[in-house]
Amino acid sequence: MRKNVSSGYHYEASFGYSRAVRVGDTVLVSGTTARPPELHGGAEDQLRGAIAIAAEGLAEAGARLEDVVRTVVYLRDAGDVEAVTRAHVAAFGDIRPANTLIHVAGLFPAEALVEIEVTAIVDRDS
């Protein structure tokens, strides 16, 4: 069974994607950037905002941050690694999901300094 989750963000309809998709016990959250006001802050604030949006998608799909098994973080400025690390540890420190950090030339929207993808597996029995 498949469940598509929409946050109502206007790009979801125009780009043809869902904020999150749940198939069975697996929840995939699309690449997520911050929105204003966090979008106008530094990389740490932006990642905190993006994680909050991703957490909303997880919740609507029946998952929690504690269910996250993998994150992929896209970072525009390699000098922001420490700031992004602080935000990631604040959200996932005890969970310690598998993680990939990728340095990129740019993100969409242009103001975005960081983007995150999240994968969760909902397994309440183990």
Side-chain angles (χ1 to χ4, degrees):
M1 181 174 266
R2 176 188 179 114
K3 177 181 182 179
N4 289 351
V5 173
S6 175
S7 67
Y9 192 45
H10 64 279
Y11 288 120
E12 291 174 23
S14 63
F15 283 17
Y17 74 95
S18 297
R19 166 62 42 223
V21 175
R22 179 172 181 163
V23 177
D25 290 342
T26 303
V27 180
L28 302 163
V29 179
S30 293
T32 305
T33 59
R35 296 188 191 142
E38 290 85 2
L39 183 60
H40 304 298
E44 184 173 355
D45 289 336
Q46 285 195 20
L47 187 55
R48 287 179 190 270
I51 290 170
I53 293 166
E56 291 171 4
L58 287 169
E60 194 166 334
R64 310 171 299 202
L65 285 178
E66 293 84 356
D67 299 317
V68 172
V69 296
R70 179 169 172 73
T71 60
V72 179
V73 178
Y74 301 91
L75 182 61
R76 217 174 68 193
D77 183 345
D80 287 332
V81 167
E82 288 184 30
V84 166
T85 297
R86 285 191 299 271
H88 195 275
V89 167
F92 301 108
D94 292 335
I95 303 160
R96 298 187 64 185
N99 171 260
T100 301
L101 179 64
I102 303 170
H103 183 229
V104 296
L107 295 166
F108 187 81
E111 304 91 343
L113 302 173
V114 65
E115 181 171 336
I116 189 168
E117 296 176 15
V118 176
T119 302
I121 297 177
V122 182
D123 183 7
R124 303 281 189 253
D125 295 330
S126 60

